[in-house]
Amino acid sequence: MPNMTESEILDKFAQIVAKSLRIDASRIAPDTHLSDLGAESLDLIEITMETETQFHIFLPDKSILETAVEVFGPGILEKNGYLTEEGKRLLLCRMPEADSAAFEGEVAVKDLQHYFLKVGTWVRMIQGLAQYTPGECEACGASMVPSMGFRMKCAKCGQEITLRSGEELNREWVREYYDREYRAQAGVTVSVTAG
Ligand SMILES: [Zn+2]
């Protein structure tokens, strides 16, 4: 469903969260944090699975920071449990302007969990991934319906596609950022094999 608006996604996601946590959907707004609504790990697993099913997307298991640390190597984006300037720069490049306050001053990596559990962060992530889920078949234009696993199938001609995983897309974004923004500006000449 690549054409859903942010508010349609928010409504649908709020229904998922409300059902899972047994609360009223009206309590859920873009700046609400799932943890503040009482969501615990099992709830988050349920919310993740239900979101994947309903939006036909494949959410990443790791946060963008965790993936970025794997690509950059240790000590560059975070040091002693705190974000470095480089780490902040990467997250700011990825997150909307409105969220920049979350990265001011000393930012402990563990506190970012709270940020990543913000409803608006999920809505944006869902919207980003949904772009990769085709609504219509490329071959015949009929509707695509969910198939086994993370696949979509054309209801008419049977053409199948595999959904791109959030993890894979995050990694691609980080690698591109690494080459374009980090290696270029830092003048890093050592041959770091980013993959
Ligand atoms: Zn088709």
Side-chain angles (χ1 to χ4, degrees):
M1 273 163 286
N3 312 319
M4 286 184 89
T5 66
E6 210 168 308
S7 82
E8 286 169 335
I9 293 174
L10 174 64
D11 285 348
K12 195 166 166 173
F13 181 64
Q15 294 298 330
I16 294 171
V17 173
K19 190 169 167 230
S20 182
L21 301 179
R22 294 174 198 85
I23 58 169
D24 201 275
S26 64
R27 285 181 60 192
I28 301 156
D31 59 357
T32 314
H33 292 255
L34 295 178
S35 41
D36 297 339
L37 294 169
E40 290 173 13
S41 351
L42 281 178
D43 303 311
L44 292 174
I45 292 171
E46 190 179 79
I47 290 168
T48 299
M49 283 170 41
E50 200 51 31
T51 300
E52 289 180 331
T53 306
Q54 292 206 25
F55 289 96
H56 311 307
I57 54 172
F58 195 167
L59 292 170
D61 292 329
K62 296 174 194 154
S63 74
I64 187 74
L65 182 65
E66 288 170 306
T67 299
V69 166
E70 286 175 9
V71 172
F72 277 70
I76 299 172
L77 302 174
E78 52 165 327
K79 225 172 214 167
N80 308 322
Y82 286 88
L83 282 183
T84 60
E85 287 309 310
E86 203 55 64
K88 288 182 191 175
R89 216 164 75 83
L90 178 135
L91 289 175
L92 280 170
C93 188
R94 174 81 175 197
M95 308 303 174
E97 193 70 40
D99 284 0
S100 57
F103 307 108
E104 274 164 19
E106 294 266 275
V107 182
V109 172
K110 68 171 172 43
D111 293 340
L112 283 173
Q113 278 314 325
H114 189 247
Y115 172 74
F116 288 129
L117 288 177
K118 197 164 107 162
V119 168
T121 309
W122 279 67
V123 168
R124 248 192 1 270
M125 178 168 68
I126 293 167
Q127 192 171 31
L129 288 173
Q131 289 170 24
Y132 295 93
T133 303
E136 290 162 5
C137 173
E138 257 189 17
C140 76
S143 304
M144 298 293 278
V145 293
S147 181
M148 306 261 291
F150 290 99
R151 298 174 70 79
M152 297 289 283
K153 189 177 184 175
C154 171
K156 199 167 150 201
C157 76
Q159 166 130 324
E160 277 199 322
I161 62 124
T162 302
L163 295 178
R164 308 228 28 215
S165 79
E167 201 96 10
E168 184 185 309
L169 291 162
N170 276 352
R171 194 167 287 270
E172 266 177 30
W173 182 87
V174 170
R175 287 210 173 119
E176 211 182 280
Y177 176 95
Y178 183 90
D179 289 337
R180 192 192 58 221
E181 301 287 333
Y182 177 69
R183 205 153 53 165
Q185 65 97 40
V188 181
T189 46
V190 282
S191 60
V192 180
T193 41

